[in-house]
Amino acid sequence: MADLESFIARLTEANAVMNLVGPDSLPDVWNRHIWDSAQLLEMRPNAKTWADLGAGAGFPGVVLAILLRDRPDSHVWLIDSLGKRCRFLQEVVDGLSLRATVINGRAEDQRVKVDIVTARAVAPMEKLLAYAQPYLQRGAQGLFLKGEKAEAELIEARKVWQFDSDLSVSRSDPRGRIVSVRSLRRVPNR
């Protein structure tokens, strides 16, 4: 809990000068961001390695790294293409001594092998699956936090991608969805 509190304090301070999360979401940070992120670990408690694509403010990646702190075989990769967000994430990782690596680069260009690839508020499913494709092809499962338009995004994504998926209702917000994805491949002739 102390690490989560410290992370929230760092986030609040950084958010005053850099737009990491909507300022109106900070009063409800525990439900909107922390619990929303933490529920992924409940879904896959045995997963040891995670990649958070478009890690931004650290949701869900930093929260997962904090919760996995007592598992010496765990590691979280926080991948973001924007340098200033990566500097913030690196300060958090260093300050909390997390087992996490910050990568400043495009998600689809990384060659990290993980159990779970995740993302939150990055892109519509069609684009997100393109970013996640290298991880999924190396055996990862995708767990993506999406909003109330998840079903519509899946319909659009299936025009370009073939994949197995499950849809779960978010425990932090009944309008939200968690999309679980396996066995991704591009639709032929697309």
Side-chain angles (χ1 to χ4, degrees):
M1 291 301 288
D3 285 343
L4 290 170
E5 290 284 359
S6 177
F7 172 44
I8 291 168
R10 292 167 190 267
L11 172 68
T12 302
E13 182 180 325
N15 208 57
V17 294
M18 174 177 28
N19 186 27
L20 292 166
V21 297
D24 59 328
S25 71
L26 284 174
D28 191 24
V29 69
W30 282 98
N31 190 57
R32 295 267 311 266
H33 301 296
I34 304 296
W35 174 232
D36 191 49
S37 299
Q39 68 182 323
L40 296 180
L41 190 56
E42 288 186 348
M43 293 180 76
R44 298 296 181 272
N46 296 324
K48 297 175 185 175
T49 54
W50 299 70
D52 181 10
L53 310 185
F59 302 112
V62 168
V63 173
L64 294 168
I66 290 169
L67 296 176
L68 290 165
R69 154 180 298 292
D70 294 331
R71 290 180 52 186
D73 57 349
S74 69
H75 198 84
V76 178
W77 281 266
L78 305 165
I79 304 167
D80 202 284
S81 62
L82 193 59
K84 67 180 180 178
R85 289 192 297 240
C86 288
R87 285 188 292 280
F88 164 74
L89 292 169
Q90 193 64 60
E91 288 173 13
V92 171
V93 166
D94 293 345
L96 298 177
S97 300
L98 299 176
R99 264 188 295 286
T101 301
V102 178
I103 298 174
N104 184 190
R106 298 183 54 80
E108 64 273 26
D109 294 340
Q110 307 312 310
R111 296 295 170 242
V112 177
K113 184 171 179 2
V114 294
D115 299 323
I116 304 290
V117 60
T118 188
R120 178 176 185 252
V122 171
M125 282 303 300
E126 180 183 333
K127 266 189 184 178
L128 181 54
L129 291 174
Y131 301 152
Q133 182 181 21
Y135 306 86
L136 295 166
Q137 286 181 331
R138 286 190 294 275
Q141 178 182 3
L143 285 180
F144 304 112
L145 293 158
K146 300 301 285 179
E148 56 195 331
K149 297 179 182 172
E151 291 91 344
E153 287 187 29
L154 285 170
I155 290 168
E156 287 301 308
R158 289 190 191 283
K159 294 176 182 175
V160 177
W161 300 101
Q162 294 174 339
F163 55 93
D164 296 324
S165 67
D166 296 311
L167 202 57
S168 304
V169 175
S170 170
R171 293 177 62 191
S172 66
D173 182 342
R175 296 168 298 175
R177 299 289 181 266
I178 301 168
V179 180
S180 175
V181 175
R182 297 164 308 287
S183 68
L184 178 72
R185 62 199 169 281
R186 193 169 283 280
V187 171
N189 301 321
R190 292 298 272 188

